[in-house]
């Protein structure tokens, strides 16, 4: 019984707090709206109060079960952006309605102390001197009989205190959902915005990749081949006059050719690992684990071949996360898993290294994010200082 | 002969220094980025500069721009540009000041050691050396009806001429007599409305200017 009552009570207390804060913000919002007649003052004031209201509304959204999606796409900007925005007005309406909810919430949780007071009234009646005007819920407790009536009342109040929060919470959820859910238009525009963002990221990522490949070829293989022709040309020229020097040149040329070949090989492998093409993600993950200087415990539960772009992205995520663990974490053991969950693939890379991986600093993690964004995938990073680090990516792939 | 080399990749820079030194050039400076190149050229006044188009910090056409800037300071400062790719635009910019003493070759040509060192000397002497690929592109543009009037043999002669070769070199390349070469050349100049001239450099420049528009 208490297992249910305590969380309920806590919820009601928080609702009261949120409601009172909402009322305060409502006042501020009205004030900021009035200030909007002087745009240089009103603009920042409105943007700030709208920002606060959003934070409060988002908190309320998170409190609901299931949580309500946040409708915001961009930070509140200028007056002319805020005022026509239906989301702003719905938030404001919620400030009023949610603020009004604070009072019933207060009443409901206030039933607990009042009920308890009813139960202990006979004791109080005994203990307190007659001169202390004891009343319970407007009932003056002047006789022992009355003190027992108070016990009955207290019991009824307690039963109400136990059951009412459920009704309250239901009502609150309905109201919040009605006012705080993103409207169809907001949902659509959020989705469009997200798609534009991820598309741009995908295009940028591929352009950067192409630039990198071009640079690698130009500075690597191409330069080596030019040096090679230089050596060969000189060797050819000295062939009759200085055979020893020519021979040395030829040896140089051969070494250069070897380097060019291995550079090209690495580059090709970086573009699209042959193992991935031949054996799919499972095989390529195995190759990654085998090539790692740190022991990798690999778990692969994947029986099918995925589409090439998904495979390539998944491989990139694994390779990048593994490289991070090896390079930055100083890990002694790494666990890597690839699990097929029908509609998506779950990739996990855990290491026992020093942790402290930071999305904002590590370009690797951001690269992973960008790469996944194009597929509506997501990555979560848990890396407390001191480790362990766990990077988990979910990549939708359609079954 | 004093040479300045501009090349950002150590491997090639060293190779080039070694090669040019082996063939009797004196490498007075080997720079690795565009910013120092122009200053070096102006202050050292080498007999010829061998410059990679693509240099740090931008890795675009830094080398070319530095060379052109240096030639503004020192007109006719001989510059041979090397590039991994043929870019007509670059060739045109290089030729635009009509001062001669310029060359534009694909990087791979450094492997043809003799031809390459000859090209460096030719540019140093104020001549013009264009990569056959550049010439092919310029000719392949089919830019004018006048080009279409050339006979196949005249086109061959024009191609070799545009590379910056002398009459003797054209004759040996096409296996014809020098007299035949000069006859072809006169016919070409007439067909393209270019002033007749016996000076190799001037003639090549005129042809290239014509081709480059």
């Amino acid at each position: 019984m208490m297992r249910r009552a305590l969380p309920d009570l806590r919820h009601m207390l928080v609702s009261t707090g949120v409601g009172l804060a909402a009322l305060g913000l409502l006042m501020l919002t009205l004030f900021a709206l009035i200030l909007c007649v002087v745009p240089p003052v009103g603009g920042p004031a409105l943007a700030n109060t709208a920002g606060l209201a959003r934070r409060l509304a988002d908190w309320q959204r998170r409190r609901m079960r299931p949580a309500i999606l946040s409708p915001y796409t961009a930070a509140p900007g200028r007056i002319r952006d805020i005022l026509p925005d239906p989301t702003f007005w719905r938030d404001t309406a919620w400030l009023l309605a949610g603020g009004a909810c604070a009072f019933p919430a207060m009443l409901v949780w206030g039933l607990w102390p009042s009920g308890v007071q009813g139960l202990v009234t006979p004791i109080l009646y005994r203990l307190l001197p007659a001169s202390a005007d004891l009343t319970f819920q407007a009932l003056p407790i002047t006789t022992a009989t009355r003190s027992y009536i108070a016990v009955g009342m207290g019991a009824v109040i307690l039963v109400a205190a136990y059951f009412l929060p459920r009704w309250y919470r239901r009502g609150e959820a309905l109201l919040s959902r009605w006012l705080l859910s993103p409207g169809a238009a907001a949902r659509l525009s959020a989705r469009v915005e997200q798609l534009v963002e991820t598309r741009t990221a995908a295009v940028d990522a591929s352009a950067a990749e192409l630039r990198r490949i071009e640079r690698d070829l130009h500075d690597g293989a191409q330069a080596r081949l030019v040096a090679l022709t230089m050596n060969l040309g000189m060797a050819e020229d000295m062939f009759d006059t200085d055979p020893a020097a020519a021979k040395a040149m030829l040896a140089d040329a051969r070494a250069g050719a070897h380097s060019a070949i291995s550079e090209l090989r690495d580059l090709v492998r970086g573009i699209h690992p042959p193992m991935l093409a031949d054996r799919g993600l499972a095989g390529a993950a195995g190759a990654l684990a085998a090539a790692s200087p740190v022991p990798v415990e690999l778990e692969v539960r994947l029986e099918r071949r995925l589409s090439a772009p998904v495979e390539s992205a998944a491989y990139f995520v694994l390779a990048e996360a593994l490289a991070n663990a090896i390079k930055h974490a100083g890990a002694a053991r790494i666990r890597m898993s690839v699990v097929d969950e029908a509609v998506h693939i779950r990739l996990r890379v855990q290491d026992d290294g020093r942790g402290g991986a930071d999305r904002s600093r590590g370009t690797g993690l951001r690269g992973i994010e960008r790469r996944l964004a194009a597929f509506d995938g997501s990555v979560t990073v848990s890396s407390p200082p001191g480790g362990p680090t766990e990077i988990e990516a979910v990549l939708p792939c359609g079954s | 002969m004093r040479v300045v080399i501009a090349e950002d990749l150590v491997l090639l820079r060293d190779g080039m220094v070694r090669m040019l030194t082996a063939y009797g050039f004196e490498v007075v400076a080997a720079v690795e980025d565009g910013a120092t190149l122009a200053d070096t050229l102006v202050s050292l006044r080498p007999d010829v500069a061998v410059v990679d188009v693509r240099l740090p910090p931008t890795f675009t056409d830094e080398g070319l721009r530095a060379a052109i800037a240096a030639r503004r300071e020192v007109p006719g400062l001989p510059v041979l540009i090397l590039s991994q790719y043929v870019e007509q635009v670059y060739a045109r910019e290089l030729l635009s000041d009509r001062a001669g003493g310029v060359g534009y070759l694909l990087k791979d040509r450094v492997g043809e050691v003799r031809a390459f060192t000859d090209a460096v000397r030719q540019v140093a002497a104020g001549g013009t050396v264009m990569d056959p690929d550049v010439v092919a592109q310029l000719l392949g543009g089919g830019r004018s009806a006048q080009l279409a009037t050339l006979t196949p043999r005249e086109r061959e002669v024009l191609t070799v001429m545009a590379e910056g070769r002398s009459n003797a070199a054209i004759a040996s390349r096409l296996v014809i007599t020098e007299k035949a070469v000069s006859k072809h050349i006169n016919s070409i100049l007439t067909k393209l409305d270019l002033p007749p001239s016996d000076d190799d450099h001037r003639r090549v420049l005129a042809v290239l200017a014509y081709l480059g528009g």
Side-chain angles (χ1 to χ4, degrees):
Chain A
M1 158 150 172
M2 286 318 278
R3 280 236 314 275
R4 165 106 210 204
L6 276 175
D8 269 348
L9 180 62
R10 208 181 58 222
H11 182 93
M12 305 305 292
L13 285 169
V14 177
S15 284
T16 308
V18 170
L20 292 176
L23 283 182
L25 270 174
L26 181 67
M27 296 297 151
L28 284 175
T29 306
L30 293 175
F31 188 56
L33 282 170
I34 293 164
L35 280 181
C36 280
V37 292
V38 192
V41 184
L46 189 66
N48 283 320
T49 49
L52 286 171
R54 284 179 177 198
R55 282 170 65 174
L56 190 69
D58 267 340
W59 192 24
Q60 178 72 0
R61 288 185 181 100
R62 281 196 301 273
R63 289 178 63 219
M64 295 296 111
R65 291 285 169 270
I68 303 171
L69 284 176
S70 188
Y72 312 118
T73 48
R78 298 173 307 233
I79 295 178
R80 68 184 128 146
D81 299 330
I82 297 177
L83 291 185
D85 181 4
T87 321
F88 166 74
W89 293 108
R90 295 179 57 164
D91 281 356
T92 309
W94 174 78
L95 290 181
L96 179 64
C101 286
F103 301 108
M106 245 185 277
L107 275 177
V108 172
W109 63 255
L111 292 174
W112 283 106
S114 145
V116 171
Q117 193 202 339
L119 293 188
V120 299
T121 303
I123 304 168
L124 290 174
Y125 179 71
R126 285 277 177 80
L127 293 180
L128 292 173
S131 60
D133 287 333
L134 187 62
T135 56
F136 177 70
Q137 302 292 347
L139 174 75
I141 310 297
T142 48
T143 62
T145 322
R146 281 192 172 196
S147 75
Y148 292 120
I149 292 172
V151 173
M153 286 167 68
V156 171
I157 288 171
L158 282 184
V159 171
Y162 180 69
F163 284 103
L164 275 179
R166 300 181 194 188
W167 294 98
Y168 174 88
R169 285 180 76 161
R170 210 163 293 169
E172 183 191 33
L174 277 174
L175 185 74
S176 302
R177 225 161 268 294
W178 179 52
L179 287 172
L180 293 181
S181 290
R187 274 203 301 274
L188 199 58
S189 77
R191 178 70 181 145
V192 168
E193 194 130 333
Q194 186 219 355
L195 286 175
V196 168
E197 218 167 273
T198 55
R199 187 190 60 173
T200 312
V203 171
D204 284 353
S206 71
E209 190 65 3
L210 279 177
R211 264 199 308 278
R212 184 186 66 79
I213 292 167
E214 193 262 352
R215 277 290 299 277
D216 279 359
L217 279 172
H218 178 274
D219 293 357
Q222 260 182 328
R224 284 201 187 282
L225 289 171
V226 171
L228 177 71
T229 55
M230 224 182 320
N231 277 328
L232 286 173
M234 285 164 82
E236 188 184 14
D237 214 42
M238 296 175 181
F239 194 76
D240 299 322
T241 52
D242 188 354
K247 204 168 169 181
M249 295 270 169
L250 285 174
D252 268 1
R254 204 164 56 125
H258 268 300
S259 325
I261 292 166
S262 68
E263 256 172 35
L264 279 173
R265 194 184 303 121
D266 290 348
L267 188 66
V268 168
R269 187 173 290 149
I271 295 169
H272 193 77
M275 196 68 185
L276 191 59
D278 300 347
R279 303 277 172 82
L281 184 58
L288 272 178
S292 160
V294 179
V296 175
E297 192 181 323
L298 179 68
E299 178 199 12
V300 179
R301 277 185 284 166
L302 170 70
E303 298 300 329
R304 56 185 171 133
R305 283 298 297 265
L306 307 164
S307 69
V310 171
E311 238 171 27
S312 181
Y315 178 84
F316 174 85
V317 170
L318 289 177
E320 200 63 39
L322 192 61
N324 273 346
I326 294 164
K327 260 197 308 223
H328 306 302
R333 293 204 60 77
I334 298 174
R335 286 185 41 102
M336 188 156 84
S337 73
V338 179
V339 180
D340 184 354
E341 298 180 353
V343 285
H344 53 242
I345 296 283
R346 190 177 296 276
L347 308 164
R348 206 179 281 134
V349 175
Q350 294 153 298
D351 69 65
D352 58 358
R354 69 175 67 93
D358 182 4
R359 201 176 291 217
S360 56
R361 280 187 310 119
T363 48
L365 288 174
R366 227 189 334 225
I368 291 178
E369 238 171 13
R370 269 212 304 266
R371 194 72 195 252
L372 287 173
F375 296 87
D376 279 337
S378 61
V379 60
T380 47
V381 179
S382 140
S383 183
T389 300
E390 175 173 321
I391 293 173
E392 183 178 72
V394 174
L395 182 56
C397 56
S399 51
Chain B
M1 193 172 284
R2 298 161 68 251
V3 188
V4 167
I5 293 176
E7 165 65 63
D8 58 309
L9 300 170
V10 182
L11 183 77
L12 290 184
R13 198 169 55 231
D14 292 354
M16 214 114 67
V17 172
R18 261 197 320 183
M19 179 173 91
L20 289 174
T21 311
Y23 284 79
F25 294 87
E26 182 200 350
V27 179
V28 288
V31 300
E32 51 186 286
D33 64 78
T36 49
L37 175 61
D39 299 343
T40 310
L41 290 181
V42 172
S43 62
L44 290 180
R45 303 278 176 107
D47 298 316
V48 61
V50 179
V51 176
D52 180 11
V53 165
R54 206 162 119 154
L55 292 174
T58 59
F59 291 104
T60 49
D61 55 352
E62 195 92 3
L64 179 72
R65 278 184 288 124
I68 289 174
R71 276 170 68 92
R72 266 200 298 272
E73 293 265 329
V74 187
L77 180 83
V79 175
L80 173 58
I81 296 282
L82 295 178
S83 166
Q84 289 285 27
Y85 319 95
V86 167
E87 288 290 354
Q88 277 191 55
V89 179
Y90 293 171
R92 255 180 237 160
E93 283 173 10
L94 202 56
L95 291 162
S96 62
D97 62 5
R98 306 277 172 101
V102 289
Y104 184 82
L105 288 177
L106 277 181
K107 246 188 189 168
D108 340 349
R109 308 289 175 206
V110 299
E112 298 154 23
V113 183
R114 286 276 154 162
F116 177 70
T117 48
D118 283 350
V120 176
R121 287 201 174 86
Q122 207 173 326
V123 170
T128 306
V129 178
M130 281 292 131
D131 197 280
D133 279 21
V134 179
V135 176
Q137 273 201 14
L138 289 173
L139 282 170
R143 284 187 43 268
S144 75
Q146 289 162 315
L147 274 183
T149 63
L150 300 182
T151 64
R153 185 51 111 184
E154 282 167 351
R155 281 185 77 90
E156 280 178 352
V157 172
L158 176 64
T159 305
V160 186
M161 188 168 109
E163 285 171 28
R165 303 280 165 199
S166 63
N167 282 12
I170 299 173
S172 70
R173 171 93 72 94
L174 300 178
V175 204
I176 46 179
T177 61
E178 275 197 57
K179 219 167 111 192
V181 170
S182 57
K183 204 178 75 194
H184 284 308
I185 288 177
N186 285 332
S187 153
I188 292 167
L189 294 176
T190 313
K191 283 186 182 174
L192 301 185
D193 289 333
L194 295 171
S197 136
D198 287 335
D199 179 344
D200 277 359
H201 297 343
R202 224 177 273 268
R203 209 176 53 194
V204 172
L205 275 179
V207 168
L208 286 169
Y210 171 82
L211 291 174

